[in-house]
PDB file of all heavy atoms in Angstrom:
ATOM      1  N   VAL A 308      -2.208  23.158   3.197  1.00 58.00           N
ATOM      2  CA  VAL A 308      -3.133  24.277   3.060  1.00 58.00           C
ATOM      3  C   VAL A 308      -2.385  25.539   2.904  1.00 58.00           C
ATOM      4  O   VAL A 308      -1.383  25.825   3.626  1.00 58.00           O
ATOM      5  CB  VAL A 308      -4.075  24.358   4.312  1.00 58.00           C
ATOM      6  CG1 VAL A 308      -3.268  24.567   5.582  1.00 58.00           C
ATOM      7  CG2 VAL A 308      -5.103  25.450   4.139  1.00 58.00           C
ATOM      8  N   CYS A 310      -2.536  29.465   2.981  1.00 49.00           N
ATOM      9  CA  CYS A 310      -3.433  30.419   3.641  1.00 49.00           C
ATOM     10  C   CYS A 310      -3.344  31.873   3.118  1.00 49.00           C
ATOM     11  O   CYS A 310      -4.263  32.627   3.333  1.00 49.00           O
ATOM     12  CB  CYS A 310      -3.229  30.455   5.168  1.00 49.00           C
ATOM     13  SG  CYS A 310      -4.178  29.229   5.999  1.00 49.00           S
ATOM     14  N   THR A 580      -6.990  28.499   0.695  1.00 76.00           N
ATOM     15  CA  THR A 580      -8.075  29.087   1.492  1.00 76.00           C
ATOM     16  C   THR A 580      -8.445  30.447   1.017  1.00 76.00           C
ATOM     17  O   THR A 580      -7.540  31.146   0.512  1.00 76.00           O
ATOM     18  CB  THR A 580      -7.717  29.108   2.990  1.00 76.00           C
ATOM     19  OG1 THR A 580      -6.562  29.989   3.152  1.00 76.00           O
ATOM     20  CG2 THR A 580      -7.413  27.759   3.507  1.00 76.00           C
ATOM     21  N   MET A 585     -12.700  30.852   5.831  1.00 57.00           N
ATOM     22  CA  MET A 585     -12.241  30.905   7.210  1.00 57.00           C
ATOM     23  C   MET A 585     -13.321  31.407   8.160  1.00 57.00           C
ATOM     24  O   MET A 585     -13.159  31.350   9.409  1.00 57.00           O
ATOM     25  CB  MET A 585     -10.992  31.796   7.405  1.00 57.00           C
ATOM     26  CG  MET A 585      -9.805  31.360   6.581  1.00 57.00           C
ATOM     27  SD  MET A 585      -8.383  32.416   6.904  1.00 57.00           S
ATOM     28  CE  MET A 585      -7.494  32.305   5.382  1.00 57.00           C
ATOM     29  N   LEU A 588     -15.500  28.835  11.653  1.00 70.00           N
ATOM     30  CA  LEU A 588     -14.318  28.375  12.383  1.00 70.00           C
ATOM     31  C   LEU A 588     -14.338  26.884  12.654  1.00 70.00           C
ATOM     32  O   LEU A 588     -13.282  26.226  12.637  1.00 70.00           O
ATOM     33  CB  LEU A 588     -14.192  29.166  13.703  1.00 70.00           C
ATOM     34  CG  LEU A 588     -12.964  28.915  14.527  1.00 70.00           C
ATOM     35  CD1 LEU A 588     -11.688  29.270  13.711  1.00 70.00           C
ATOM     36  CD2 LEU A 588     -13.006  29.710  15.846  1.00 70.00           C
ATOM     37  N   PHE A 591     -13.381  25.108   9.431  1.00 78.00           N
ATOM     38  CA  PHE A 591     -12.010  25.444   9.014  1.00 78.00           C
ATOM     39  C   PHE A 591     -10.977  24.787   9.956  1.00 78.00           C
ATOM     40  O   PHE A 591      -9.936  24.307   9.476  1.00 78.00           O
ATOM     41  CB  PHE A 591     -11.808  26.950   8.980  1.00 78.00           C
ATOM     42  CG  PHE A 591     -10.534  27.390   8.385  1.00 78.00           C
ATOM     43  CD1 PHE A 591     -10.224  27.172   7.067  1.00 78.00           C
ATOM     44  CD2 PHE A 591      -9.553  28.041   9.164  1.00 78.00           C
ATOM     45  CE1 PHE A 591      -9.008  27.577   6.492  1.00 78.00           C
ATOM     46  CE2 PHE A 591      -8.366  28.405   8.619  1.00 78.00           C
ATOM     47  CZ  PHE A 591      -8.104  28.215   7.313  1.00 78.00           C
ATOM     48  N   SER A 592     -11.247  24.774  11.223  1.00 81.00           N
ATOM     49  CA  SER A 592     -10.333  24.127  12.137  1.00 81.00           C
ATOM     50  C   SER A 592     -10.207  22.646  11.890  1.00 81.00           C
ATOM     51  O   SER A 592      -9.155  22.056  12.037  1.00 81.00           O
ATOM     52  CB  SER A 592     -10.756  24.440  13.621  1.00 81.00           C
ATOM     53  OG  SER A 592     -12.037  23.896  13.852  1.00 81.00           O
ATOM     54  N   LEU A 595      -7.925  22.258   8.868  1.00 82.00           N
ATOM     55  CA  LEU A 595      -6.524  22.433   9.237  1.00 82.00           C
ATOM     56  C   LEU A 595      -5.983  21.256  10.025  1.00 82.00           C
ATOM     57  O   LEU A 595      -4.812  20.853   9.850  1.00 82.00           O
ATOM     58  CB  LEU A 595      -6.367  23.709  10.030  1.00 82.00           C
ATOM     59  CG  LEU A 595      -6.297  25.018   9.208  1.00 82.00           C
ATOM     60  CD1 LEU A 595      -6.483  26.251  10.125  1.00 82.00           C
ATOM     61  CD2 LEU A 595      -4.927  25.153   8.511  1.00 82.00           C
ATOM     62  N   ASN A 596      -6.804  20.694  10.828  1.00 84.00           N
ATOM     63  CA  ASN A 596      -6.339  19.581  11.714  1.00 84.00           C
ATOM     64  C   ASN A 596      -6.110  18.303  10.873  1.00 84.00           C
ATOM     65  O   ASN A 596      -5.493  17.387  11.375  1.00 84.00           O
ATOM     66  CB  ASN A 596      -7.393  19.318  12.783  1.00 84.00           C
ATOM     67  CG  ASN A 596      -6.811  18.466  13.907  1.00 84.00           C
ATOM     68  OD1 ASN A 596      -7.128  17.296  14.103  1.00 84.00           O
ATOM     69  ND2 ASN A 596      -5.856  19.034  14.683  1.00 84.00           N
ATOM     70  N   LEU A 601       1.060  23.738   6.763  1.00 89.00           N
ATOM     71  CA  LEU A 601       0.403  25.042   6.586  1.00 89.00           C
ATOM     72  C   LEU A 601       1.436  26.034   5.982  1.00 89.00           C
ATOM     73  O   LEU A 601       2.533  26.177   6.496  1.00 89.00           O
ATOM     74  CB  LEU A 601      -0.103  25.589   7.906  1.00 89.00           C
ATOM     75  CG  LEU A 601      -0.504  27.082   7.972  1.00 89.00           C
ATOM     76  CD1 LEU A 601      -1.749  27.325   7.128  1.00 89.00           C
ATOM     77  CD2 LEU A 601      -0.737  27.561   9.401  1.00 89.00           C
ATOM     78  N   GLY A 606       1.303  37.248   8.903  1.00 82.00           N
ATOM     79  CA  GLY A 606       0.082  38.016   9.129  1.00 82.00           C
ATOM     80  C   GLY A 606      -0.839  37.243  10.032  1.00 82.00           C
ATOM     81  O   GLY A 606      -0.523  36.117  10.489  1.00 82.00           O
ATOM     82  N   ALA A 607      -1.974  37.813  10.322  1.00 76.00           N
ATOM     83  CA  ALA A 607      -2.909  37.211  11.258  1.00 76.00           C
ATOM     84  C   ALA A 607      -3.331  35.780  10.833  1.00 76.00           C
ATOM     85  O   ALA A 607      -3.675  34.959  11.683  1.00 76.00           O
ATOM     86  CB  ALA A 607      -4.142  38.052  11.396  1.00 76.00           C
ATOM     87  N   GLY A 608      -3.283  35.483   9.534  1.00 79.00           N
ATOM     88  CA  GLY A 608      -3.677  34.184   9.089  1.00 79.00           C
ATOM     89  C   GLY A 608      -2.818  33.064   9.600  1.00 79.00           C
ATOM     90  O   GLY A 608      -3.230  31.895   9.718  1.00 79.00           O
ATOM     91  N   MET A 609      -1.576  33.378   9.980  1.00 84.00           N
ATOM     92  CA  MET A 609      -0.708  32.336  10.529  1.00 84.00           C
ATOM     93  C   MET A 609      -1.140  31.864  11.899  1.00 84.00           C
ATOM     94  O   MET A 609      -0.674  30.855  12.372  1.00 84.00           O
ATOM     95  CB  MET A 609       0.749  32.864  10.567  1.00 84.00           C
ATOM     96  CG  MET A 609       1.506  32.894   9.284  1.00 84.00           C
ATOM     97  SD  MET A 609       1.644  31.266   8.482  1.00 84.00           S
ATOM     98  CE  MET A 609       2.565  30.340   9.647  1.00 84.00           C
ATOM     99  N   THR A 610      -2.038  32.624  12.540  1.00 83.00           N
ATOM    100  CA  THR A 610      -2.597  32.173  13.824  1.00 83.00           C
ATOM    101  C   THR A 610      -3.251  30.834  13.697  1.00 83.00           C
ATOM    102  O   THR A 610      -3.366  30.101  14.675  1.00 83.00           O
ATOM    103  CB  THR A 610      -3.577  33.236  14.341  1.00 83.00           C
ATOM    104  OG1 THR A 610      -3.000  34.510  14.331  1.00 83.00           O
ATOM    105  CG2 THR A 610      -4.033  32.886  15.749  1.00 83.00           C
ATOM    106  N   ASN A 611      -3.655  30.464  12.488  1.00 83.00           N
ATOM    107  CA  ASN A 611      -4.346  29.193  12.258  1.00 83.00           C
ATOM    108  C   ASN A 611      -3.409  28.013  12.553  1.00 83.00           C
ATOM    109  O   ASN A 611      -3.873  26.802  12.553  1.00 83.00           O
ATOM    110  CB  ASN A 611      -4.826  29.062  10.822  1.00 83.00           C
ATOM    111  CG  ASN A 611      -6.006  30.072  10.614  1.00 83.00           C
ATOM    112  OD1 ASN A 611      -7.015  29.972  11.277  1.00 83.00           O
ATOM    113  ND2 ASN A 611      -5.823  30.943   9.649  1.00 83.00           N
ATOM    114  N   GLU A 612      -2.127  28.242  12.801  1.00 86.00           N
ATOM    115  CA  GLU A 612      -1.239  27.119  13.161  1.00 86.00           C
ATOM    116  C   GLU A 612      -1.690  26.439  14.421  1.00 86.00           C
ATOM    117  O   GLU A 612      -1.297  25.288  14.695  1.00 86.00           O
ATOM    118  CB  GLU A 612       0.220  27.620  13.289  1.00 86.00           C
ATOM    119  CG  GLU A 612       0.430  28.574  14.445  1.00 86.00           C
ATOM    120  CD  GLU A 612       1.865  29.162  14.467  1.00 86.00           C
ATOM    121  OE1 GLU A 612       2.552  29.064  13.457  1.00 86.00           O
ATOM    122  OE2 GLU A 612       2.216  29.783  15.508  1.00 86.00           O
ATOM    123  N   VAL A 613      -2.513  27.137  15.268  1.00 85.00           N
ATOM    124  CA  VAL A 613      -2.948  26.521  16.524  1.00 85.00           C
ATOM    125  C   VAL A 613      -3.845  25.293  16.221  1.00 85.00           C
ATOM    126  O   VAL A 613      -4.036  24.460  17.122  1.00 85.00           O
ATOM    127  CB  VAL A 613      -3.729  27.491  17.408  1.00 85.00           C
ATOM    128  CG1 VAL A 613      -2.721  28.699  17.759  1.00 85.00           C
ATOM    129  CG2 VAL A 613      -4.975  28.016  16.776  1.00 85.00           C
ATOM    130  N   PHE A 614      -4.410  25.210  15.014  1.00 86.00           N
ATOM    131  CA  PHE A 614      -5.310  24.082  14.696  1.00 86.00           C
ATOM    132  C   PHE A 614      -4.583  22.920  14.052  1.00 86.00           C
ATOM    133  O   PHE A 614      -5.241  21.923  13.756  1.00 86.00           O
ATOM    134  CB  PHE A 614      -6.399  24.591  13.751  1.00 86.00           C
ATOM    135  CG  PHE A 614      -7.269  25.705  14.348  1.00 86.00           C
ATOM    136  CD1 PHE A 614      -7.366  26.948  13.761  1.00 86.00           C
ATOM    137  CD2 PHE A 614      -7.955  25.453  15.547  1.00 86.00           C
ATOM    138  CE1 PHE A 614      -8.133  27.921  14.317  1.00 86.00           C
ATOM    139  CE2 PHE A 614      -8.762  26.441  16.092  1.00 86.00           C
ATOM    140  CZ  PHE A 614      -8.856  27.685  15.463  1.00 86.00           C
ATOM    141  N   LEU A 615      -3.317  23.056  13.754  1.00 87.00           N
ATOM    142  CA  LEU A 615      -2.567  21.940  13.164  1.00 87.00           C
ATOM    143  C   LEU A 615      -2.401  20.806  14.091  1.00 87.00           C
ATOM    144  O   LEU A 615      -2.252  21.021  15.336  1.00 87.00           O
ATOM    145  CB  LEU A 615      -1.197  22.455  12.658  1.00 87.00           C
ATOM    146  CG  LEU A 615      -1.179  23.378  11.461  1.00 87.00           C
ATOM    147  CD1 LEU A 615       0.268  23.929  11.262  1.00 87.00           C
ATOM    148  CD2 LEU A 615      -1.627  22.681  10.209  1.00 87.00           C
ATOM    149  N   ALA A 621       4.503  24.063  10.006  1.00 91.00           N
ATOM    150  CA  ALA A 621       4.058  25.409   9.653  1.00 91.00           C
ATOM    151  C   ALA A 621       5.191  26.103   8.900  1.00 91.00           C
ATOM    152  O   ALA A 621       6.304  26.206   9.408  1.00 91.00           O
ATOM    153  CB  ALA A 621       3.678  26.262  10.882  1.00 91.00           C
ATOM    154  N   PHE A 637       4.935  33.982  15.592  1.00 88.00           N
ATOM    155  CA  PHE A 637       4.439  32.708  15.080  1.00 88.00           C
ATOM    156  C   PHE A 637       5.495  31.559  15.156  1.00 88.00           C
ATOM    157  O   PHE A 637       5.097  30.431  15.286  1.00 88.00           O
ATOM    158  CB  PHE A 637       3.924  32.880  13.685  1.00 88.00           C
ATOM    159  CG  PHE A 637       2.842  33.858  13.547  1.00 88.00           C
ATOM    160  CD1 PHE A 637       3.041  35.090  12.919  1.00 88.00           C
ATOM    161  CD2 PHE A 637       1.581  33.649  14.131  1.00 88.00           C
ATOM    162  CE1 PHE A 637       2.020  36.033  12.781  1.00 88.00           C
ATOM    163  CE2 PHE A 637       0.564  34.557  14.016  1.00 88.00           C
ATOM    164  CZ  PHE A 637       0.779  35.737  13.375  1.00 88.00           C
ATOM    165  N   LEU A 644       3.707  24.568  20.531  1.00 85.00           N
ATOM    166  CA  LEU A 644       2.511  23.813  20.237  1.00 85.00           C
ATOM    167  C   LEU A 644       2.780  22.422  19.742  1.00 85.00           C
ATOM    168  O   LEU A 644       1.846  21.607  19.501  1.00 85.00           O
ATOM    169  CB  LEU A 644       1.638  24.549  19.155  1.00 85.00           C
ATOM    170  CG  LEU A 644       1.025  25.875  19.528  1.00 85.00           C
ATOM    171  CD1 LEU A 644       0.495  26.587  18.303  1.00 85.00           C
ATOM    172  CD2 LEU A 644      -0.092  25.644  20.519  1.00 85.00           C
TER     173      LEU A 644
END
Side-chain angles (χ1 to χ4, degrees):
V308 60
C310 271
T580 64
M585 298 184 209
L588 187 59
F591 188 65
S592 60
L595 278 165
N596 198 250
L601 166 68
M609 284 300 299
T610 308
N611 291 302
E612 66 186 13
V613 301
F614 299 120
L615 289 172
F637 301 112
L644 292 168

